[in-house]
Amino acid sequence: QVLLVESGGGLVQAGGSLRLNCAASGTIFNIAVMGWYRQAPGKERELVAAITRYGTTNYADSVKGRFTISRDNAKNTVSLQMNSLKPEDTAVYYCNVDQRPFNNNWGQGTQVTVSS
């Protein structure tokens, strides 16, 4: 199993920026994909961005060009730089380390609120 500790959420005005950070401890395999998901009230959890060990990234269409995911393999950290935030980005953001079939791990979540 992997323990994930998130930081960096908060309240920001529309057009502002936030940076989310996630530190992972435990056994991280080379196959691990690290990423961020979000869940807004009344909605399903959705992928925001993900990154492989080798730097291949995947973004939700709604955040392309505004969010950037990065990863430090030596430190087992993943970050999400969020720019040009919109009210519809308001959600609880969850860090994820997916190394199935071995395990799939979630952080406790951090609230991001964007005011209009």
mmCIF file of all heavy atoms in Angstrom, residues 66-110:
data_model
loop_
_atom_site.group_PDB
_atom_site.id
_atom_site.type_symbol
_atom_site.label_atom_id
_atom_site.label_comp_id
_atom_site.label_asym_id
_atom_site.label_seq_id
_atom_site.Cartn_x
_atom_site.Cartn_y
_atom_site.Cartn_z
ATOM 1 N N ARG A 66 -4.656 24.779 -19.152
ATOM 2 C CA ARG A 66 -4.741 25.545 -17.897
ATOM 3 C C ARG A 66 -4.011 24.851 -16.753
ATOM 4 O O ARG A 66 -3.446 25.518 -15.884
ATOM 5 C CB ARG A 66 -6.202 25.748 -17.503
ATOM 6 C CG ARG A 66 -7.024 26.498 -18.531
ATOM 7 C CD ARG A 66 -8.420 26.844 -18.000
ATOM 8 N NE ARG A 66 -9.210 25.662 -17.687
ATOM 9 C CZ ARG A 66 -9.728 25.398 -16.483
ATOM 10 N NH1 ARG A 66 -9.537 26.248 -15.485
ATOM 11 N NH2 ARG A 66 -10.433 24.310 -16.296
ATOM 12 N N PHE A 67 -4.058 23.530 -16.734
ATOM 13 C CA PHE A 67 -3.433 22.759 -15.658
ATOM 14 C C PHE A 67 -2.195 22.051 -16.189
ATOM 15 O O PHE A 67 -2.157 21.625 -17.344
ATOM 16 C CB PHE A 67 -4.399 21.709 -15.124
ATOM 17 C CG PHE A 67 -5.585 22.242 -14.379
ATOM 18 C CD1 PHE A 67 -5.915 23.591 -14.366
ATOM 19 C CD2 PHE A 67 -6.412 21.366 -13.671
ATOM 20 C CE1 PHE A 67 -7.010 24.076 -13.677
ATOM 21 C CE2 PHE A 67 -7.507 21.826 -12.978
ATOM 22 C CZ PHE A 67 -7.817 23.180 -12.987
ATOM 23 N N THR A 68 -1.215 21.894 -15.311
ATOM 24 C CA THR A 68 -0.009 21.159 -15.658
ATOM 25 C C THR A 68 0.339 20.205 -14.528
ATOM 26 O O THR A 68 0.465 20.628 -13.373
ATOM 27 C CB THR A 68 1.171 22.111 -15.894
ATOM 28 O OG1 THR A 68 0.843 23.041 -16.936
ATOM 29 C CG2 THR A 68 2.416 21.326 -16.296
ATOM 30 N N ILE A 69 0.496 18.943 -14.877
ATOM 31 C CA ILE A 69 0.892 17.945 -13.892
ATOM 32 C C ILE A 69 2.389 17.683 -14.019
ATOM 33 O O ILE A 69 2.939 17.704 -15.127
ATOM 34 C CB ILE A 69 0.081 16.641 -14.072
ATOM 35 C CG1 ILE A 69 0.299 15.698 -12.885
ATOM 36 C CG2 ILE A 69 0.396 15.956 -15.397
ATOM 37 C CD1 ILE A 69 -0.669 14.515 -12.858
ATOM 38 N N SER A 70 3.029 17.465 -12.872
ATOM 39 C CA SER A 70 4.450 17.146 -12.871
ATOM 40 C C SER A 70 4.725 16.118 -11.794
ATOM 41 O O SER A 70 3.933 15.946 -10.858
ATOM 42 C CB SER A 70 5.279 18.414 -12.645
ATOM 43 O OG SER A 70 4.945 19.019 -11.404
ATOM 44 N N ARG A 71 5.848 15.474 -11.940
ATOM 45 C CA ARG A 71 6.163 14.353 -11.043
ATOM 46 C C ARG A 71 7.660 14.335 -10.776
ATOM 47 O O ARG A 71 8.461 14.577 -11.688
ATOM 48 C CB ARG A 71 5.715 13.061 -11.709
ATOM 49 C CG ARG A 71 6.090 11.765 -11.035
ATOM 50 C CD ARG A 71 5.420 10.606 -11.761
ATOM 51 N NE ARG A 71 5.831 9.330 -11.207
ATOM 52 C CZ ARG A 71 5.249 8.172 -11.483
ATOM 53 N NH1 ARG A 71 4.226 8.130 -12.332
ATOM 54 N NH2 ARG A 71 5.677 7.052 -10.946
ATOM 55 N N ASP A 72 8.027 14.039 -9.546
ATOM 56 C CA ASP A 72 9.427 13.856 -9.163
ATOM 57 C C ASP A 72 9.579 12.412 -8.711
ATOM 58 O O ASP A 72 9.137 12.046 -7.612
ATOM 59 C CB ASP A 72 9.797 14.832 -8.039
ATOM 60 C CG ASP A 72 11.278 14.800 -7.704
ATOM 61 O OD1 ASP A 72 11.888 13.716 -7.835
ATOM 62 O OD2 ASP A 72 11.806 15.834 -7.302
ATOM 63 N N ASN A 73 10.165 11.591 -9.561
ATOM 64 C CA ASN A 73 10.277 10.163 -9.245
ATOM 65 C C ASN A 73 11.199 9.916 -8.053
ATOM 66 O O ASN A 73 10.986 8.982 -7.286
ATOM 67 C CB ASN A 73 10.790 9.404 -10.468
ATOM 68 C CG ASN A 73 9.775 9.385 -11.593
ATOM 69 O OD1 ASN A 73 8.574 9.314 -11.362
ATOM 70 N ND2 ASN A 73 10.265 9.472 -12.815
ATOM 71 N N ALA A 74 12.223 10.724 -7.913
ATOM 72 C CA ALA A 74 13.161 10.531 -6.805
ATOM 73 C C ALA A 74 12.497 10.796 -5.462
ATOM 74 O O ALA A 74 12.820 10.151 -4.461
ATOM 75 C CB ALA A 74 14.371 11.427 -6.986
ATOM 76 N N LYS A 75 11.586 11.748 -5.430
ATOM 77 C CA LYS A 75 10.912 12.119 -4.178
ATOM 78 C C LYS A 75 9.529 11.503 -4.044
ATOM 79 O O LYS A 75 8.869 11.674 -3.025
ATOM 80 C CB LYS A 75 10.809 13.637 -4.082
ATOM 81 C CG LYS A 75 12.146 14.355 -4.032
ATOM 82 C CD LYS A 75 11.953 15.862 -3.931
ATOM 83 C CE LYS A 75 13.296 16.579 -3.853
ATOM 84 N NZ LYS A 75 13.120 18.059 -3.771
ATOM 85 N N ASN A 76 9.072 10.816 -5.090
ATOM 86 C CA ASN A 76 7.725 10.235 -5.087
ATOM 87 C C ASN A 76 6.656 11.293 -4.810
ATOM 88 O O ASN A 76 5.791 11.126 -3.934
ATOM 89 C CB ASN A 76 7.622 9.090 -4.077
ATOM 90 C CG ASN A 76 8.340 7.844 -4.553
ATOM 91 O OD1 ASN A 76 8.464 7.618 -5.756
ATOM 92 N ND2 ASN A 76 8.823 7.051 -3.621
ATOM 93 N N THR A 77 6.749 12.370 -5.537
ATOM 94 C CA THR A 77 5.759 13.426 -5.406
ATOM 95 C C THR A 77 5.113 13.716 -6.763
ATOM 96 O O THR A 77 5.717 13.485 -7.811
ATOM 97 C CB THR A 77 6.370 14.726 -4.865
ATOM 98 O OG1 THR A 77 7.399 15.169 -5.750
ATOM 99 C CG2 THR A 77 6.965 14.528 -3.479
ATOM 100 N N VAL A 78 3.895 14.202 -6.703
ATOM 101 C CA VAL A 78 3.192 14.638 -7.905
ATOM 102 C C VAL A 78 2.504 15.953 -7.579
ATOM 103 O O VAL A 78 1.966 16.130 -6.475
ATOM 104 C CB VAL A 78 2.196 13.571 -8.400
ATOM 105 C CG1 VAL A 78 1.134 13.269 -7.368
ATOM 106 C CG2 VAL A 78 1.580 13.977 -9.731
ATOM 107 N N SER A 79 2.554 16.874 -8.521
ATOM 108 C CA SER A 79 1.981 18.200 -8.314
ATOM 109 C C SER A 79 1.055 18.557 -9.457
ATOM 110 O O SER A 79 1.190 18.026 -10.567
ATOM 111 C CB SER A 79 3.088 19.247 -8.205
ATOM 112 O OG SER A 79 3.928 18.994 -7.093
ATOM 113 N N LEU A 80 0.132 19.441 -9.163
ATOM 114 C CA LEU A 80 -0.796 19.922 -10.176
ATOM 115 C C LEU A 80 -0.832 21.440 -10.087
ATOM 116 O O LEU A 80 -1.318 21.992 -9.091
ATOM 117 C CB LEU A 80 -2.187 19.341 -9.964
ATOM 118 C CG LEU A 80 -3.216 19.680 -11.041
ATOM 119 C CD1 LEU A 80 -2.864 18.979 -12.360
ATOM 120 C CD2 LEU A 80 -4.629 19.278 -10.595
ATOM 121 N N GLN A 81 -0.304 22.095 -11.101
ATOM 122 C CA GLN A 81 -0.353 23.546 -11.180
ATOM 123 C C GLN A 81 -1.631 23.919 -11.923
ATOM 124 O O GLN A 81 -1.827 23.505 -13.072
ATOM 125 C CB GLN A 81 0.863 24.098 -11.922
ATOM 126 C CG GLN A 81 0.855 25.594 -12.099
ATOM 127 C CD GLN A 81 0.943 26.344 -10.781
ATOM 128 O OE1 GLN A 81 1.710 25.977 -9.902
ATOM 129 N NE2 GLN A 81 0.145 27.399 -10.647
ATOM 130 N N MET A 82 -2.483 24.683 -11.267
ATOM 131 C CA MET A 82 -3.781 25.041 -11.831
ATOM 132 C C MET A 82 -3.835 26.550 -12.046
ATOM 133 O O MET A 82 -3.761 27.313 -11.081
ATOM 134 C CB MET A 82 -4.902 24.599 -10.889
ATOM 135 C CG MET A 82 -4.851 23.116 -10.548
ATOM 136 S SD MET A 82 -6.256 22.580 -9.552
ATOM 137 C CE MET A 82 -5.931 23.456 -8.021
ATOM 138 N N ASN A 83 -3.923 26.938 -13.292
ATOM 139 C CA ASN A 83 -3.998 28.354 -13.659
ATOM 140 C C ASN A 83 -5.344 28.659 -14.295
ATOM 141 O O ASN A 83 -6.064 27.748 -14.716
ATOM 142 C CB ASN A 83 -2.878 28.709 -14.629
ATOM 143 C CG ASN A 83 -1.492 28.502 -14.053
ATOM 144 O OD1 ASN A 83 -1.277 28.674 -12.852
ATOM 145 N ND2 ASN A 83 -0.547 28.136 -14.896
ATOM 146 N N SER A 84 -5.659 29.925 -14.358
ATOM 147 C CA SER A 84 -6.915 30.375 -14.974
ATOM 148 C C SER A 84 -8.099 29.590 -14.432
ATOM 149 O O SER A 84 -8.944 29.099 -15.190
ATOM 150 C CB SER A 84 -6.831 30.233 -16.506
ATOM 151 O OG SER A 84 -5.756 30.972 -17.026
ATOM 152 N N LEU A 85 -8.158 29.479 -13.139
ATOM 153 C CA LEU A 85 -9.201 28.678 -12.509
ATOM 154 C C LEU A 85 -10.585 29.268 -12.753
ATOM 155 O O LEU A 85 -10.770 30.490 -12.811
ATOM 156 C CB LEU A 85 -8.930 28.548 -11.015
ATOM 157 C CG LEU A 85 -7.836 27.529 -10.676
ATOM 158 C CD1 LEU A 85 -7.272 27.776 -9.291
ATOM 159 C CD2 LEU A 85 -8.387 26.118 -10.776
ATOM 160 N N LYS A 86 -11.549 28.354 -12.873
ATOM 161 C CA LYS A 86 -12.936 28.714 -13.128
ATOM 162 C C LYS A 86 -13.808 28.187 -11.986
ATOM 163 O O LYS A 86 -13.444 27.201 -11.336
ATOM 164 C CB LYS A 86 -13.394 28.093 -14.442
ATOM 165 C CG LYS A 86 -12.547 28.450 -15.645
ATOM 166 C CD LYS A 86 -13.026 27.699 -16.880
ATOM 167 C CE LYS A 86 -12.185 28.027 -18.099
ATOM 168 N NZ LYS A 86 -12.644 27.289 -19.305
ATOM 169 N N PRO A 87 -14.962 28.789 -11.772
ATOM 170 C CA PRO A 87 -15.862 28.260 -10.728
ATOM 171 C C PRO A 87 -16.187 26.779 -10.911
ATOM 172 O O PRO A 87 -16.341 26.057 -9.920
ATOM 173 C CB PRO A 87 -17.104 29.144 -10.877
ATOM 174 C CG PRO A 87 -16.575 30.435 -11.400
ATOM 175 C CD PRO A 87 -15.461 30.050 -12.326
ATOM 176 N N GLU A 88 -16.252 26.331 -12.147
ATOM 177 C CA GLU A 88 -16.567 24.919 -12.389
ATOM 178 C C GLU A 88 -15.413 23.979 -12.029
ATOM 179 O O GLU A 88 -15.582 22.756 -12.079
ATOM 180 C CB GLU A 88 -16.990 24.695 -13.853
ATOM 181 C CG GLU A 88 -16.059 25.277 -14.890
ATOM 182 C CD GLU A 88 -16.505 26.652 -15.373
ATOM 183 O OE1 GLU A 88 -16.929 27.492 -14.540
ATOM 184 O OE2 GLU A 88 -16.419 26.874 -16.608
ATOM 185 N N ASP A 89 -14.267 24.519 -11.672
ATOM 186 C CA ASP A 89 -13.172 23.699 -11.166
ATOM 187 C C ASP A 89 -13.335 23.392 -9.672
ATOM 188 O O ASP A 89 -12.556 22.612 -9.118
ATOM 189 C CB ASP A 89 -11.831 24.408 -11.374
ATOM 190 C CG ASP A 89 -11.472 24.571 -12.838
ATOM 191 O OD1 ASP A 89 -11.677 23.618 -13.615
ATOM 192 O OD2 ASP A 89 -10.996 25.661 -13.212
ATOM 193 N N THR A 90 -14.314 23.989 -9.043
ATOM 194 C CA THR A 90 -14.553 23.751 -7.627
ATOM 195 C C THR A 90 -14.896 22.285 -7.391
ATOM 196 O O THR A 90 -15.807 21.731 -8.020
ATOM 197 C CB THR A 90 -15.701 24.634 -7.124
ATOM 198 O OG1 THR A 90 -15.306 26.008 -7.209
ATOM 199 C CG2 THR A 90 -16.058 24.304 -5.681
ATOM 200 N N ALA A 91 -14.143 21.659 -6.496
ATOM 201 C CA ALA A 91 -14.317 20.232 -6.214
ATOM 202 C C ALA A 91 -13.349 19.815 -5.114
ATOM 203 O O ALA A 91 -12.465 20.596 -4.732
ATOM 204 C CB ALA A 91 -14.055 19.399 -7.464
ATOM 205 N N VAL A 92 -13.524 18.609 -4.655
ATOM 206 C CA VAL A 92 -12.498 17.977 -3.825
ATOM 207 C C VAL A 92 -11.544 17.261 -4.777
ATOM 208 O O VAL A 92 -11.980 16.471 -5.621
ATOM 209 C CB VAL A 92 -13.098 16.987 -2.818
ATOM 210 C CG1 VAL A 92 -11.984 16.308 -2.012
ATOM 211 C CG2 VAL A 92 -14.075 17.700 -1.886
ATOM 212 N N TYR A 93 -10.274 17.551 -4.634
ATOM 213 C CA TYR A 93 -9.253 16.966 -5.503
ATOM 214 C C TYR A 93 -8.526 15.854 -4.745
ATOM 215 O O TYR A 93 -8.098 16.040 -3.604
ATOM 216 C CB TYR A 93 -8.266 18.033 -5.952
ATOM 217 C CG TYR A 93 -8.825 18.933 -7.030
ATOM 218 C CD1 TYR A 93 -9.858 19.825 -6.751
ATOM 219 C CD2 TYR A 93 -8.351 18.884 -8.331
ATOM 220 C CE1 TYR A 93 -10.400 20.629 -7.738
ATOM 221 C CE2 TYR A 93 -8.873 19.692 -9.325
ATOM 222 C CZ TYR A 93 -9.905 20.558 -9.020
ATOM 223 O OH TYR A 93 -10.437 21.362 -10.011
ATOM 224 N N TYR A 94 -8.386 14.726 -5.417
ATOM 225 C CA TYR A 94 -7.778 13.549 -4.816
ATOM 226 C C TYR A 94 -6.511 13.151 -5.570
ATOM 227 O O TYR A 94 -6.534 13.028 -6.802
ATOM 228 C CB TYR A 94 -8.735 12.369 -4.851
ATOM 229 C CG TYR A 94 -9.989 12.554 -4.033
ATOM 230 C CD1 TYR A 94 -11.135 13.103 -4.600
ATOM 231 C CD2 TYR A 94 -10.024 12.176 -2.688
ATOM 232 C CE1 TYR A 94 -12.290 13.273 -3.850
ATOM 233 C CE2 TYR A 94 -11.177 12.339 -1.938
ATOM 234 C CZ TYR A 94 -12.303 12.892 -2.521
ATOM 235 O OH TYR A 94 -13.437 13.057 -1.783
ATOM 236 N N CYS A 95 -5.473 12.927 -4.829
ATOM 237 C CA CYS A 95 -4.256 12.360 -5.394
ATOM 238 C C CYS A 95 -4.447 10.851 -5.563
ATOM 239 O O CYS A 95 -5.102 10.206 -4.722
ATOM 240 C CB CYS A 95 -3.094 12.648 -4.450
ATOM 241 S SG CYS A 95 -1.504 11.994 -4.991
ATOM 242 N N ASN A 96 -3.881 10.308 -6.611
ATOM 243 C CA ASN A 96 -4.031 8.880 -6.890
ATOM 244 C C ASN A 96 -2.704 8.293 -7.369
ATOM 245 O O ASN A 96 -1.998 8.912 -8.160
ATOM 246 C CB ASN A 96 -5.114 8.674 -7.944
ATOM 247 C CG ASN A 96 -5.214 7.245 -8.408
ATOM 248 O OD1 ASN A 96 -4.678 6.862 -9.434
ATOM 249 N ND2 ASN A 96 -5.932 6.434 -7.652
ATOM 250 N N VAL A 97 -2.402 7.113 -6.860
ATOM 251 C CA VAL A 97 -1.281 6.323 -7.377
ATOM 252 C C VAL A 97 -1.838 4.959 -7.775
ATOM 253 O O VAL A 97 -2.246 4.159 -6.926
ATOM 254 C CB VAL A 97 -0.165 6.166 -6.328
ATOM 255 C CG1 VAL A 97 0.896 5.190 -6.845
ATOM 256 C CG2 VAL A 97 0.470 7.510 -6.029
ATOM 257 N N ASP A 98 -1.896 4.763 -9.076
ATOM 258 C CA ASP A 98 -2.496 3.557 -9.638
ATOM 259 C C ASP A 98 -1.384 2.616 -10.059
ATOM 260 O O ASP A 98 -0.649 2.941 -11.004
ATOM 261 C CB ASP A 98 -3.391 3.926 -10.818
ATOM 262 C CG ASP A 98 -4.126 2.736 -11.400
ATOM 263 O OD1 ASP A 98 -3.845 1.582 -10.999
ATOM 264 O OD2 ASP A 98 -4.977 2.956 -12.276
ATOM 265 N N GLN A 99 -1.231 1.522 -9.371
ATOM 266 C CA GLN A 99 -0.254 0.523 -9.754
ATOM 267 C C GLN A 99 -0.935 -0.844 -9.718
ATOM 268 O O GLN A 99 -0.413 -1.819 -9.161
ATOM 269 C CB GLN A 99 1.021 0.581 -8.905
ATOM 270 C CG GLN A 99 0.825 0.798 -7.432
ATOM 271 C CD GLN A 99 2.139 1.131 -6.751
ATOM 272 O OE1 GLN A 99 3.096 1.656 -7.334
ATOM 273 N NE2 GLN A 99 2.210 0.822 -5.452
ATOM 274 N N ARG A 100 -2.109 -0.842 -10.348
ATOM 275 C CA ARG A 100 -2.797 -2.121 -10.504
ATOM 276 C C ARG A 100 -2.023 -3.009 -11.462
ATOM 277 O O ARG A 100 -1.379 -2.504 -12.380
ATOM 278 C CB ARG A 100 -4.219 -1.867 -11.042
ATOM 279 C CG ARG A 100 -5.140 -1.278 -9.984
ATOM 280 C CD ARG A 100 -6.493 -0.895 -10.544
ATOM 281 N NE ARG A 100 -6.425 0.315 -11.346
ATOM 282 C CZ ARG A 100 -7.488 0.881 -11.894
ATOM 283 N NH1 ARG A 100 -8.687 0.343 -11.726
ATOM 284 N NH2 ARG A 100 -7.357 1.989 -12.616
ATOM 285 N N PRO A 101 -1.957 -4.290 -11.247
ATOM 286 C CA PRO A 101 -2.872 -5.057 -10.397
ATOM 287 C C PRO A 101 -2.474 -5.137 -8.942
ATOM 288 O O PRO A 101 -3.149 -5.807 -8.153
ATOM 289 C CB PRO A 101 -2.819 -6.442 -11.034
ATOM 290 C CG PRO A 101 -1.416 -6.535 -11.521
ATOM 291 C CD PRO A 101 -1.062 -5.158 -12.020
ATOM 292 N N PHE A 102 -1.437 -4.462 -8.538
ATOM 293 C CA PHE A 102 -0.965 -4.594 -7.155
ATOM 294 C C PHE A 102 -1.847 -3.794 -6.198
ATOM 295 O O PHE A 102 -2.320 -4.324 -5.188
ATOM 296 C CB PHE A 102 0.487 -4.142 -7.061
ATOM 297 C CG PHE A 102 1.393 -4.908 -7.975
ATOM 298 C CD1 PHE A 102 1.873 -4.353 -9.146
ATOM 299 C CD2 PHE A 102 1.732 -6.224 -7.688
ATOM 300 C CE1 PHE A 102 2.679 -5.070 -10.001
ATOM 301 C CE2 PHE A 102 2.546 -6.957 -8.534
ATOM 302 C CZ PHE A 102 3.020 -6.375 -9.690
ATOM 303 N N ASN A 103 -2.068 -2.518 -6.474
ATOM 304 C CA ASN A 103 -2.937 -1.711 -5.623
ATOM 305 C C ASN A 103 -3.269 -0.420 -6.356
ATOM 306 O O ASN A 103 -2.652 -0.061 -7.361
ATOM 307 C CB ASN A 103 -2.313 -1.426 -4.248
ATOM 308 C CG ASN A 103 -0.898 -0.885 -4.361
ATOM 309 O OD1 ASN A 103 -0.668 0.165 -4.950
ATOM 310 N ND2 ASN A 103 0.065 -1.605 -3.782
ATOM 311 N N ASN A 104 -4.290 0.258 -5.827
ATOM 312 C CA ASN A 104 -4.727 1.542 -6.355
ATOM 313 C C ASN A 104 -5.010 2.418 -5.140
ATOM 314 O O ASN A 104 -5.850 2.050 -4.314
ATOM 315 C CB ASN A 104 -5.980 1.376 -7.220
ATOM 316 C CG ASN A 104 -6.353 2.645 -7.953
ATOM 317 O OD1 ASN A 104 -5.536 3.533 -8.156
ATOM 318 N ND2 ASN A 104 -7.609 2.745 -8.373
ATOM 319 N N ASN A 105 -4.296 3.534 -5.014
ATOM 320 C CA ASN A 105 -4.247 4.274 -3.765
ATOM 321 C C ASN A 105 -4.766 5.697 -3.914
ATOM 322 O O ASN A 105 -4.499 6.353 -4.924
ATOM 323 C CB ASN A 105 -2.793 4.327 -3.268
ATOM 324 C CG ASN A 105 -2.175 2.952 -3.208
ATOM 325 O OD1 ASN A 105 -2.322 2.237 -2.230
ATOM 326 N ND2 ASN A 105 -1.477 2.566 -4.272
ATOM 327 N N TRP A 106 -5.480 6.154 -2.867
ATOM 328 C CA TRP A 106 -6.093 7.480 -2.878
ATOM 329 C C TRP A 106 -5.671 8.295 -1.669
ATOM 330 O O TRP A 106 -5.530 7.755 -0.574
ATOM 331 C CB TRP A 106 -7.616 7.343 -2.871
ATOM 332 C CG TRP A 106 -8.156 6.668 -4.088
ATOM 333 C CD1 TRP A 106 -8.418 5.339 -4.233
ATOM 334 C CD2 TRP A 106 -8.500 7.294 -5.331
ATOM 335 N NE1 TRP A 106 -8.895 5.096 -5.505
ATOM 336 C CE2 TRP A 106 -8.957 6.275 -6.195
ATOM 337 C CE3 TRP A 106 -8.453 8.610 -5.804
ATOM 338 C CZ2 TRP A 106 -9.374 6.541 -7.508
ATOM 339 C CZ3 TRP A 106 -8.874 8.870 -7.096
ATOM 340 C CH2 TRP A 106 -9.324 7.855 -7.930
ATOM 341 N N GLY A 107 -5.519 9.593 -1.901
ATOM 342 C CA GLY A 107 -5.318 10.504 -0.792
ATOM 343 C C GLY A 107 -6.635 10.843 -0.126
ATOM 344 O O GLY A 107 -7.703 10.389 -0.559
ATOM 345 N N GLN A 108 -6.560 11.659 0.904
ATOM 346 C CA GLN A 108 -7.757 11.984 1.673
ATOM 347 C C GLN A 108 -8.596 13.074 1.004
ATOM 348 O O GLN A 108 -9.762 13.265 1.364
ATOM 349 C CB GLN A 108 -7.366 12.434 3.094
ATOM 350 C CG GLN A 108 -6.862 13.870 3.204
ATOM 351 C CD GLN A 108 -5.428 14.053 2.765
ATOM 352 O OE1 GLN A 108 -4.770 13.110 2.309
ATOM 353 N NE2 GLN A 108 -4.907 15.260 2.926
ATOM 354 N N GLY A 109 -8.029 13.765 0.055
ATOM 355 C CA GLY A 109 -8.754 14.811 -0.668
ATOM 356 C C GLY A 109 -8.460 16.187 -0.114
ATOM 357 O O GLY A 109 -8.261 16.360 1.089
ATOM 358 N N THR A 110 -8.438 17.161 -1.008
ATOM 359 C CA THR A 110 -8.237 18.546 -0.605
ATOM 360 C C THR A 110 -9.231 19.417 -1.366
ATOM 361 O O THR A 110 -9.426 19.239 -2.569
ATOM 362 C CB THR A 110 -6.781 18.997 -0.847
ATOM 363 O OG1 THR A 110 -6.581 20.319 -0.349
ATOM 364 C CG2 THR A 110 -6.403 18.965 -2.324
#
